[in-house]
């Protein structure tokens, strides 16, 4: 899959996630079971038990990555203290799962039903800040291709939506912090 450009891979992931599960009754049951399992895992995940639950996330993500990543991103948007344990738990994922995670992050960021700024003022919405922080941590720790995320940011800038620069800022800060620490040593 790595040999395909990101836009073809993301189109395949979108079809896999949105069309395949809706058409096949057996996949609907599998999706419901995956949602139930992922909720069970995420309720019990803490920084002390990352290893066993990370392995469980890896097992579930191997079969149904898009389903579990939707649940993970939903939980992260509600509870920001889960960012570090989840980032550490994702070390058991394969390359395909990490690529699907990248697609799911972009899909969550581009949700048209959620406002990226609070209605009353110019402050950035909580869910968007948390997802941007998660992006920074996940792209720092794992070797995930940035081209899809960067193209999303460029498209948002072309549409005069500069709020998405927060994502770029978080990713760059995390990447630069790790390289500055390596350079100082």
């Amino acid at each position: 899959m790595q040999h395909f450009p990101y836009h073809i891979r993301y189109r395949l992931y979108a079809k896999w996630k949105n069309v395949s599960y809706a058409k096949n009754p057996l996949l609907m049951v599998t999706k419901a079971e995956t949602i139930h399992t992922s909720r069970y895992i995420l309720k019990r995940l803490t920084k002390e038990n990352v290893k066993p639950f990370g392995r469980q996330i890896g097992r579930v993500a191997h079969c149904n990555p898009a389903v579990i990543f939707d649940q993970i991103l939903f939980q992260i948007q509600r509870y920001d203290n889960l960012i570090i344990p989840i980032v550490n738990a994702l070390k058991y994922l394969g390359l395909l799962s990490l690529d699907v995670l990248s697609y799911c992050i972009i899909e969550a960021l581009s949700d048209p039903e959620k406002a990226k700024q609070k209605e009353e003022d110019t402050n950035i919405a909580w869910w968007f800040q948390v997802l941007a922080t998660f992006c920074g941590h996940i792209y720092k720790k794992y070797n995930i291709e940035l081209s899809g995320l960067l193209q999303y940011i460029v498209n948002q800038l072309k549409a005069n939506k500069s709020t998405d620069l927060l994502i770029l800022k978080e990713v760059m800060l995390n990447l630069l912090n790790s390289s500055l620490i390596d350079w100082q040593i």
Side-chain angles (χ1 to χ4, degrees):
M1 289 293 281
Q2 292 177 339
H3 301 294
F4 291 113
Y6 76 91
H7 56 86
I8 292 175
R9 293 193 320 260
Y10 287 6
R11 214 175 299 141
L12 287 170
Y13 302 152
K15 188 171 183 176
W16 181 14
K17 179 181 173 190
N18 301 323
V19 177
S20 297
Y21 285 108
K23 286 186 176 180
N24 190 332
L26 290 175
L27 287 178
M28 287 182 200
V29 172
T30 303
K31 180 178 180 180
E33 290 171 354
T34 303
I35 290 172
H36 177 72
T37 304
S38 61
R39 286 182 181 163
Y40 174 84
I41 293 168
L42 293 173
K43 282 181 185 176
R44 286 151 182 81
L45 181 67
T46 63
K47 61 183 176 183
E48 288 83 25
N49 61 11
V50 167
K51 191 171 185 176
F53 285 109
R55 288 184 177 152
Q56 289 182 12
I57 289 172
R59 256 185 255 124
V60 173
H62 183 72
C63 300
N64 297 301
V67 177
I68 192 168
F69 294 144
D70 278 348
Q71 292 299 312
I72 287 173
L73 293 173
F74 178 74
Q75 288 294 335
I76 285 173
Q77 292 173 43
R78 294 179 67 199
Y79 309 107
D80 67 327
N81 61 340
L82 281 177
I83 291 176
I84 300 301
I86 286 178
V87 167
N88 292 333
L90 295 180
K91 69 181 171 185
Y92 298 101
L93 297 181
L95 294 176
L96 177 65
S97 296
L98 289 171
D99 202 37
V100 174
L101 174 62
S102 179
Y103 163 75
C104 290
I105 288 171
I106 294 170
E107 189 179 53
L109 289 169
S110 62
D111 188 358
E113 295 179 7
K114 291 185 175 180
K116 293 180 182 175
Q117 292 183 330
K118 295 179 183 175
E119 293 179 19
E120 300 85 33
D121 50 38
T122 59
N123 291 334
I124 297 173
W126 175 252
W127 72 270
F128 188 69
Q129 289 177 350
V130 171
L131 268 182
T133 304
F134 179 71
C135 283
H137 288 289
I138 206 79
Y139 282 96
K140 171 190 171 187
K141 185 156 182 149
Y142 302 106
N143 189 17
I144 302 175
E145 185 180 348
L146 277 169
S147 57
L149 184 69
L150 294 176
Q151 186 62 51
Y152 167 76
I153 294 169
V154 167
N155 291 343
Q156 293 298 308
L157 289 173
K158 286 180 183 177
N160 294 325
K161 297 177 182 174
S162 61
T163 310
D164 292 282
L165 284 174
L166 177 64
I167 303 163
L168 183 63
K169 174 188 152 200
E170 288 291 334
V171 170
M172 295 307 292
L173 279 175
N174 279 295
L175 290 175
L176 289 175
N177 281 342
S178 64
S179 65
L180 286 176
I181 291 170
D182 292 342
W183 182 72
Q184 288 176 350
I185 293 174

